[in-house]
Amino acid sequence: MNAAHWHLALNHLPLILPIAGVLVLGIGFFTKSEVVKRTALFLFVVGALTTLAAMRSGEEAEEFVEELAGFSHDYIHEHEEAAERFALVSYALGAVSLLGLWASYKRKGFARAIFIAAFPLAFVALWMGRETGTSGGEIRHTEIRETANQTPATPETQEAEAEHE
């Protein structure tokens, strides 16, 4: 497996784990189960760790992909910028979740506030993760780019797009 393949294999986990965490946390609030809410925080922590792995593999994948024909550095750069913003939020969610796990196990009074704070932070992470995933997909999948629904491709428009890349 090359660096790009590793990145493609890993990059879904930082998105899937927070989705699962939000669902589990919602169930934990509904059932008032401390164990279920802790499970959600654990998922957020693991999501932050997988974000770290995706970021590392992304750096290596960038070096590999830039050498291939047909890839635009502009799309790669846009994805990298989105990934860096997402990573900061994911790491913050992981840190808040670690604090929440500790507070919950130690039965600290502020544990409930951390559970509540993690919920909207997770939604911010999900939104930023979606932005990152979409920009990553646009690197290779031209059909999802904003320009995909514009004028049909003609030899002239293909030539103009090739010059832009």
Side-chain angles (χ1 to χ4, degrees):
M1 285 176 58
N2 62 40
H5 192 197
W6 274 113
H7 184 64
L8 291 171
L10 286 171
N11 68 15
H12 295 89
L13 292 172
L15 303 171
I16 292 168
L17 289 167
I19 291 170
V22 163
L23 293 172
V24 171
L25 189 55
I27 292 167
F29 284 137
F30 182 74
T31 62
K32 297 180 173 132
S33 170
E34 202 71 14
V35 172
V36 173
K37 290 186 280 188
R38 286 179 190 163
T39 301
L41 295 186
F42 178 76
L43 288 171
F44 295 146
V45 171
V46 175
L49 293 173
T50 61
T51 299
L52 182 63
M55 290 294 290
R56 288 213 50 188
S57 66
E59 289 294 328
E60 295 170 16
E62 178 184 15
E63 299 301 319
F64 180 81
V65 169
E66 285 183 330
E67 301 300 318
L68 300 175
F71 286 91
S72 168
H73 180 73
D74 293 340
Y75 285 109
I76 294 170
H77 180 71
E78 183 180 325
H79 175 58
E80 183 178 19
E81 294 294 317
E84 288 170 354
R85 291 187 299 270
F86 168 64
L88 291 176
V89 174
S90 181
Y91 300 153
L93 178 59
V96 165
S97 296
L98 272 177
L99 179 62
L101 284 169
W102 175 82
S104 178
Y105 281 116
K106 294 292 185 175
R107 301 195 191 287
K108 300 289 182 181
F110 60 90
R112 178 167 166 71
I114 293 176
F115 286 129
I116 292 169
F119 206 54
L121 186 56
F123 278 102
V124 171
L126 290 175
W127 182 81
M128 295 183 94
R130 185 194 65 80
E131 294 292 312
T132 302
T134 300
S135 67
E138 289 175 345
I139 293 170
R140 185 68 173 159
H141 296 282
T142 58
E143 72 275 9
I144 66 170
R145 294 179 185 168
E146 285 185 22
T147 58
N149 293 329
Q150 294 177 357
T151 58
T154 64
E156 293 81 23
T157 58
Q158 288 174 343
E159 187 177 299
E161 187 174 313
E163 288 176 6
H164 174 69
E165 292 179 0

